Amino acid sequence: MNPTRSLSSEELRSAAIDVLKINDLGTMTSAAPNLYPHMWSWDAAFVAIGLARTNVPRAVTELRSLLGAQWSTGMIPHIVFSDNDTGYFPGFDRWGTADAAALPAGIRSSGICQPPVHAIALRHIVDRGRENGGADQEAAEEFLAESFDGWLAWHRWLATVRDPDGVGLVEIHHGWESGFDNSPRWDGPYSRIAPGAVPAYTRRDVLHVADASERPDDAEYTKYLWLVQQMAEVKFDDAAVQDVVDFRVRDVFFSAIMAASSEVLAGLAMELGREQDALELQGMAARFRAGVASTVDPETGLARDYDVLAKEWIGTETVSGFAPLVAGGDPALLAAQRDLLRGPRWMGFPELRFPLPPSTSPTSDAFRPRTYWRGPVWPFLNLLLGWASARDGATGLFAELRSASLQQLSDLQFGEYYEPFTGEPLGSLAQAWTAAAALEWMGTAREDASGK
């Protein structure tokens, strides 16, 4: 194993700030140089959390830019295309969203969404602004008031359009919507897709990794593009998409984030004196918490996705199985999940470089240590699990995740994801949300040291 170099917290902080500056496009942050030159929805939320530790007004700008791309339906798209044209594929033209009636004028975006982490980021911005006082507090509170209706519309869209049966589970129509793009969670649903004719394409993502096997293969990618094509053919109309798309899965981890963020947004609504909206959001939070809990496999203790078209549960042993820890809820369930997370199939697996949960359990047949969402460790995800642990008073788990995460990130490479056994950074380096995670972890460390 490679030893992690010793460095001061100020060195780590300075390096993380530099990464955010490298990726700063002025009013939005690219996810990473070269490979990801645009704004991604849930990346932007984590970036805003990190930015709030150093520049509250810039954090506000990040979320304001994202919200400016919100569709008239309430959906927040998963990519907002910048003017930084580096040939990213699939680009705006390939998405075919120009003909979508709900696309705002002057906006170039994709036609699908990603998990709604944004209210959690908004909470961080407001808290950092109030800690700093003065102009920072004014900027944060003004943004809360001006943007609240947009976030509420986003949550309402998810709660209605993507949970039409009211079961408390968000339905996704593409693996990209989950953020866990090629996770083995989706192997079953994708195996049943037989793509029609897909126009020729040239991928760029494989040009930015040392080994193309780290990324999804071409057969998988063709299916990804086929789903986009299906949605584009009906102009991304919500009702029509559900009727034609070949991928319909109730995503338990997305649903957990919906539960957690709805609770946070309810608290912000109360601060604005919007009690009815707060009650509505609390109802959403309760519904999606219950939905997440209902998926837990009594044999494995892990939460599961549900394939709507095949009418079957998806029980692959991935980190999404810890969705209840994000959603919150029943203390007994959360305690059991923490024991699992710390156990020998996850953080306690003896060969791990750092005791952090891989995206797929090393004991699973689906585990691939270097392949995107099939095994590597994702720093932003550990931050989310840490945040939820702190929220629920699980201070021990929070401290473990923070300590190991700061050790992992001390290589100053800020990898997109990390090889779980060697600690090697993989994917695109100088990843914005990885740098943001480092800044937030260091901020919480200082708060602990000061007794807050």
Side-chain angles (χ1 to χ4, degrees):
M1 291 188 286
N2 297 323
T4 304
R5 67 179 288 259
S6 176
L7 79 166
S8 70
S9 59
E10 193 51 45
E11 284 181 283
L12 179 55
R13 183 175 185 274
S14 177
I17 291 171
D18 286 345
V19 167
L20 292 182
K21 288 179 178 177
I22 289 169
N23 288 295
D24 193 343
L25 303 177
T27 58
M28 64 173 68
T29 301
S30 65
N34 302 319
L35 178 54
Y36 303 116
H38 307 294
M39 170 185 268
W40 268 256
S41 174
W42 73 331
D43 293 58
F46 287 98
V47 166
I49 289 171
L51 284 170
R53 288 288 178 181
T54 64
N55 187 334
V56 167
R58 181 62 186 82
V60 165
T61 298
E62 192 72 15
L63 289 192
R64 182 180 282 128
S65 295
L66 178 65
L67 196 58
Q70 185 173 33
W71 287 29
S72 62
T73 56
M75 184 195 78
I76 293 178
H78 101 294
I79 301 175
V80 182
F81 291 99
S82 71
D83 295 328
N84 187 13
D85 184 9
T86 60
Y88 173 80
F89 182 84
F92 176 61
D93 292 342
R94 186 68 180 233
W95 271 95
T97 49
D99 295 330
L103 180 73
I107 293 296
R108 299 188 307 153
S109 81
S110 65
I112 61 175
C113 63
Q114 277 185 327
V117 202
H118 314 95
I120 297 171
L122 181 60
R123 175 81 267 174
H124 280 75
I125 289 172
V126 171
D127 289 347
R128 300 294 85 77
R130 288 173 177 167
E131 287 168 7
N132 298 346
D136 281 358
Q137 180 172 352
E138 183 178 353
E141 292 183 341
E142 284 183 359
F143 179 63
L144 168 60
E146 84 179 45
S147 67
F148 181 83
D149 285 328
W151 307 122
L152 179 60
W154 168 220
H155 280 242
R156 283 174 170 166
W157 181 83
L158 287 169
T160 53
V161 172
R162 292 304 187 90
D163 185 20
D165 298 324
V167 297
L169 293 168
V170 176
E171 181 177 307
I172 62 171
H173 298 144
H174 199 299
W176 286 345
E177 289 199 307
S178 70
F180 290 51
D181 297 10
N182 74 325
S183 172
R185 299 164 69 188
W186 316 133
D187 285 356
Y190 275 124
S191 72
R192 290 182 276 277
I193 295 176
V198 173
Y201 60 93
T202 301
R203 294 171 61 182
R204 289 182 56 85
D205 60 315
V206 293
L207 303 178
H208 294 270
V209 293
D211 181 355
S213 67
E214 291 181 24
R215 315 298 285 191
D217 63 30
D218 286 350
E220 292 174 275
Y221 216 86
T222 296
K223 293 181 179 184
Y224 301 162
L225 295 176
W226 170 245
L227 294 177
V228 170
Q229 197 168 305
Q230 286 187 305
M231 291 184 272
E233 286 174 355
V234 295
K235 300 181 180 181
F236 294 91
D237 176 79
D238 287 335
V241 163
Q242 186 170 299
D243 289 338
V244 304
V245 76
D246 288 334
F247 187 104
R248 293 181 58 193
V249 177
R250 292 171 181 166
D251 181 341
V252 72
F253 203 81
F254 195 125
S255 304
I257 292 174
M258 176 65 174
S261 287
S262 294
E263 193 67 51
V264 170
L265 196 57
L268 292 167
M270 288 298 291
E271 292 180 18
L272 291 172
R274 300 180 58 155
E275 294 185 7
Q276 287 305 310
D277 293 330
L279 289 173
E280 179 185 353
L281 287 160
Q282 286 167 354
M284 288 183 200
R287 176 172 127 208
F288 285 93
R289 267 198 306 271
V292 168
S294 74
T295 73
V296 174
D297 186 331
E299 293 186 8
T300 68
L302 295 173
R304 297 171 290 178
D305 304 296
Y306 183 76
D307 187 332
V308 174
L309 297 177
K311 295 182 172 58
E312 66 182 30
W313 290 105
I314 301 170
T316 313
E317 201 173 8
T318 73
V319 72
S320 65
F322 295 101
L325 291 181
V326 175
D330 175 33
L333 172 59
L334 301 189
Q337 283 240 309
R338 290 186 198 107
D339 287 343
L340 278 176
L341 185 62
R342 286 175 160 132
R345 302 181 74 85
W346 294 95
M347 291 169 63
F349 190 78
E351 296 176 38
L352 296 180
R353 175 68 181 91
F354 302 105
L356 293 167
S359 45
T360 300
S361 172
T363 63
S364 168
D365 291 341
F367 177 73
R368 302 289 182 273
R370 302 181 68 86
T371 306
Y372 214 40
W373 279 98
R374 292 178 175 267
V377 175
W378 288 75
F380 84 93
L381 197 57
N382 296 323
L383 183 70
L384 180 63
L385 290 170
W387 170 83
S389 298
R391 175 201 62 196
D392 294 333
T395 55
L397 179 56
F398 172 82
E400 292 166 30
L401 289 167
R402 178 177 61 190
S403 175
S405 292
L406 288 172
Q407 290 179 58
Q408 179 188 60
L409 299 176
S410 67
D411 65 355
L412 303 185
Q413 297 300 301
F414 303 104
E416 185 179 1
Y417 43 93
Y418 284 76
E419 211 279 4
F421 302 143
T422 67
E424 175 189 355
L426 300 173
S428 180
L429 304 184
Q431 193 83 12
W433 64 355
T434 305
L439 289 171
E440 177 59 18
W441 281 126
M442 284 185 288
T444 59
R446 283 197 298 273
E447 288 168 4
D448 271 6
S450 67
K452 291 184 179 179

